[in-house]
Amino acid sequence: MTTAEVVLARCDALAACTDRPGRLDRQHLTPALAAAHRLTTGWMTGAGLRTWRDQAGNLCGRVEGREPGLPALLLGSHLDTVPDAGRYDGMLGVLMAVAVVERLRDEVATWPCALEVVGFTDEEGARFGTALMGSRALAGTWDDTWWALRDADGTTLEQAARDFGLDPALVGTAARRPADLVAYLEAHIEQGPLLEEADRSLGVVTTIAGAQRFRVEVVGEARHAGGTPYPRRRDALVGAAEAVVLVERTVRDSGAIATVGQIEVEPGAVNVIPGRAVFTVDLRAATDAERDAMRRTLLTGITAVCAARGLTVHVTDFYEAPATPCAARLRDALREGVAATGDTDPLDVWSRAGHDGMAVSAVTDVGMLFVRCRDGISHHPDEEVRAVDVAAGLDALTTAVRAVATRTGTPAGVRA
Ligand SMILES: [Zn+2]
């Protein structure tokens, strides 16, 4: 078997570690996660890594550099999944990292840094309704209010941690200092179709977008559906419908992306003109500046189409995460890696989805490599990657890791 085939076979083996037989569900601090840790620990040990589980539930491994205790170049991704998941989102990046360490293990002993692998937990946040708890613990941005969160069965996070063999009082020991780390590199499936459309195996991530979410309330007047002539109607739903179409039309070719995922209408009766409609907008762009500019454009347009119908508009922001730029030195190293596979003009892409790197960026520079997935399908059992793309990804990541590690401590390796 080629190394890529080994990685894919390991993804298949991990897919059997599930909380719900018949499909892949592997949530934070469950028996399925423990089973995935046991399998992955075996592969990590085989690759020469010394392994441990930190007090947040992340699985970690380390190979020392030319002397013990040097700062580490961290590789990894996550081992938890969404409900009814595919077998590559997260796991592929962890297992590619293990395979890269296996290739480089003899070289690492001469490097000015150590090499580590982390399999994060709770990237998806499916069990407790949060996300990135594992990477937030590592980045030292843990929030103690999370201990009281409850899963669907009423179990608190604190109890789940104890049941998993963790000591909540020690979660702070999972935190790493900036001086402990050289950088973080993650390989991940693209979860979109851009690489496939561009006929590329790999892409270099420029930024990880942070979503901005706001609620738009359109207020008109509820009246009798039969008795009110059109000139006298102030129909909030028709105004909202125009606004939704405007959102799509405005954003569509802009490079940003927006989704109206919820809409509610009041009073919601078959024979009453809607007096109030409320819809949500999830807006993402490569940079915060582009996203904020698009938000202003959208709100101007929405207000205008509603005003033309005698409707008023109120906007409430309810979620915002900043975009995370990938560090230039890591993007350069990944571009070198992709170029070495024969793709001499690597494709830059911005990540429309969130990733552990958003949290890890609080403590060290982050870089990401995307691997093509079939038809852009993700968060679905039909997720699929090809061995040829994984092979290219392994080669690119190996080159990038070597470049970053061996430049550590030189001017080129100093954190920007
Ligand atoms: Zn993921």
Side-chain angles (χ1 to χ4, degrees), residues 77-78 80 88-90 123-124 186 188 191 354-356 379:
S77 188
H78 60 97
D80 69 313
Y88 305 107
D89 173 4
E123 193 271 349
E124 303 286 6
E186 173 169 351
H188 199 284
Q191 304 180 283
H355 293 288
D356 286 302
H379 284 189

Side-chain angles (χ1 to χ4, degrees), residues 96 185-190 192 194-196 198-207 326 330-331 333-339 341 343 345-351 367-373 389 392-393 396-397 400:
M96 282 176 65
L185 288 176
E186 173 169 351
H188 199 284
I189 60 167
E190 183 201 348
L194 300 179
L195 294 176
E196 194 170 74
D199 196 23
R200 310 288 185 107
S201 292
L202 305 170
V204 176
V205 177
T206 53
T207 68
C326 292
L330 303 179
R331 287 170 57 186
L334 288 165
R335 289 181 72 87
E336 275 178 57
V338 176
T341 68
D343 180 357
D345 184 22
L347 194 70
D348 282 341
V349 285
W350 60 275
S351 176
M368 280 193 85
L369 179 69
F370 272 173
V371 178
R372 169 166 54 186
C373 58
D389 296 336
L397 193 58

